[in-house]
Amino acid sequence: MAINFDNAFGIHQYTLGLREQRAEVLSSNIANADTPHYKARDLDFASALERAKNRQGFAMSGTHERHLVASTQLGGDLQYRTPWQPDTGDGNTVDVHGERSRYIENAMEYEASMRFLNGKIKGLTSAIKGE
Amino acid sequence: MSLFKVMDVAGSAMSAQTLRLNTTASNIANANSVSSSADATYRARQPVFAAAFDRAQQDQQAVGVKVLGIVESDQPLVREYNPGHPQADADGYIFKPNVNVMEEMANMISASRSYQTSVQVAEVAKTMLTKTLTLGQ
């Protein structure tokens, strides 16, 4: 029976990357809380995860130094947030408190994924060592 | 690692808010700087923030803050009749800056809160990075 890392790590290997990207988007929202005309954005997590899972076999390998690098950047999952409150006059739709709690929540979920991965790695290690 | 970009974004927000604190400090400091002509009088300064979008990069996720410039307020100056003042002009008037100290105080609190939030964002990103570095240990 071969050890398959892809099966062992399950969904968590994809969620980690997405959580990182979501942290980026949310931190941009918080940073631009005082910027006129800035519109708050967020990652559509479900569709982004679906995309990340389905793209696993589509990485392009460069076999020549002049080959272009094909990036697996996520596209089209960024969406604008619907504001809760009417415009206060500067066209900014960032709700700092909401974004902050979402940012912290995202960090917690990142850590949860990290712990799952850690558990899996520990399990694999003990299987390899035969302890 | 996109978590490093979070640090960049938080850093750009911090420097923008520092600039805002700077202008607020100079506005409050000069709230009582009188002069004898309208041209020489201090006017309240405010920074203009903009999102640092990179046109070359589609669907950009990390967007920092940049300061487009500093504008001077076009509110009317306060002209006061005070012939005894050493800086009074020929008609006995002095000019006071158009700084609203109350507004500036509120601005100062807002800037310092935004700065604190950015520091927190960077701290959380740092914790996430540290956790990532110890994965599998």
Side-chain angles (χ1 to χ4, degrees):
Chain A
M1 197 185 80
I3 288 177
N4 186 341
F5 286 109
D6 221 33
N7 284 343
F9 293 153
I11 202 165
H12 303 295
Q13 51 187 327
Y14 307 112
T15 51
L16 273 191
L18 285 180
R19 294 275 172 224
E20 264 180 27
Q21 286 175 357
R22 185 154 185 244
E24 229 177 81
V25 176
L26 293 179
S27 73
S28 307
N29 286 348
I30 298 174
N32 283 291
D34 295 322
T35 308
H37 307 298
Y38 181 84
K39 308 289 181 220
R41 303 175 306 164
D42 201 350
L43 205 66
D44 180 0
F45 196 81
S47 76
L49 184 61
E50 206 50 47
R51 215 184 275 258
K53 277 194 318 195
N54 292 336
R55 268 202 202 163
Q56 41 186 298
F58 291 92
M60 302 242 295
S61 51
T63 51
H64 189 269
E65 79 265 15
R66 296 185 69 179
H67 279 175
L68 294 176
V69 181
S71 70
T72 48
Q73 275 263 319
L74 298 158
D77 300 315
L78 271 185
Q79 284 172 2
Y80 290 100
R81 205 185 287 298
T82 316
W84 285 93
Q85 288 178 348
D87 188 9
T88 48
D90 62 353
N92 186 302
T93 63
V94 180
D95 161 29
V96 188
H97 306 281
E99 299 298 339
R100 250 171 87 161
S101 52
R102 271 184 282 266
Y103 182 76
I104 303 284
E105 185 192 340
N106 185 60
M108 294 306 294
E109 283 161 345
Y110 182 86
E111 200 181 328
S113 285
M114 196 65 90
R115 288 198 185 183
F116 280 123
L117 272 183
N118 254 328
K120 305 258 184 199
I121 291 173
K122 285 222 172 78
L124 284 178
T125 320
S126 64
I128 293 169
K129 286 183 181 164
E131 284 164 348
Chain B
M1 288 287 272
S2 34
L3 279 175
F4 287 115
K5 283 191 203 150
V6 175
M7 302 269 190
D8 292 346
V9 169
S12 77
M14 280 189 255
S15 59
Q17 298 298 344
T18 315
L19 199 118
R20 188 170 160 209
L21 267 178
N22 267 334
T23 56
T24 308
S26 84
N27 287 349
I28 293 179
N30 284 294
N32 292 314
S33 308
V34 293
S35 71
S36 47
S37 76
D39 293 336
T41 312
Y42 182 86
R43 285 160 202 272
R45 286 146 192 264
Q46 303 294 347
V48 182
F49 291 169
F53 278 114
D54 182 1
R55 297 217 180 277
Q57 203 184 338
Q58 274 203 331
D59 229 11
Q60 187 187 0
Q61 285 165 349
V63 183
V65 190
K66 62 179 176 187
V67 180
L68 289 184
I70 291 171
V71 290
E72 288 192 333
S73 160
D74 51 4
Q75 294 269 318
L77 298 170
V78 181
R79 191 161 171 254
E80 196 180 280
Y81 184 63
N82 191 347
H85 198 282
Q87 279 183 299
D89 63 3
D91 303 324
Y93 283 99
I94 54 168
F95 292 86
K96 286 181 163 179
N98 53 0
V99 176
N100 183 339
V101 180
M102 285 303 145
E103 254 174 41
E104 296 302 333
M105 290 299 283
N107 227 337
M108 181 182 84
I109 305 286
S110 167
S112 88
R113 287 286 180 265
S114 300
Y115 188 92
Q116 282 177 17
T117 312
S118 297
V119 172
Q120 240 177 24
V121 166
E123 257 172 30
V124 170
K126 191 189 111 193
T127 327
M128 284 164 81
L129 271 172
T130 321
K131 285 267 155 53
T132 318
L133 288 177
T134 56
L135 180 66
Q137 281 178 7

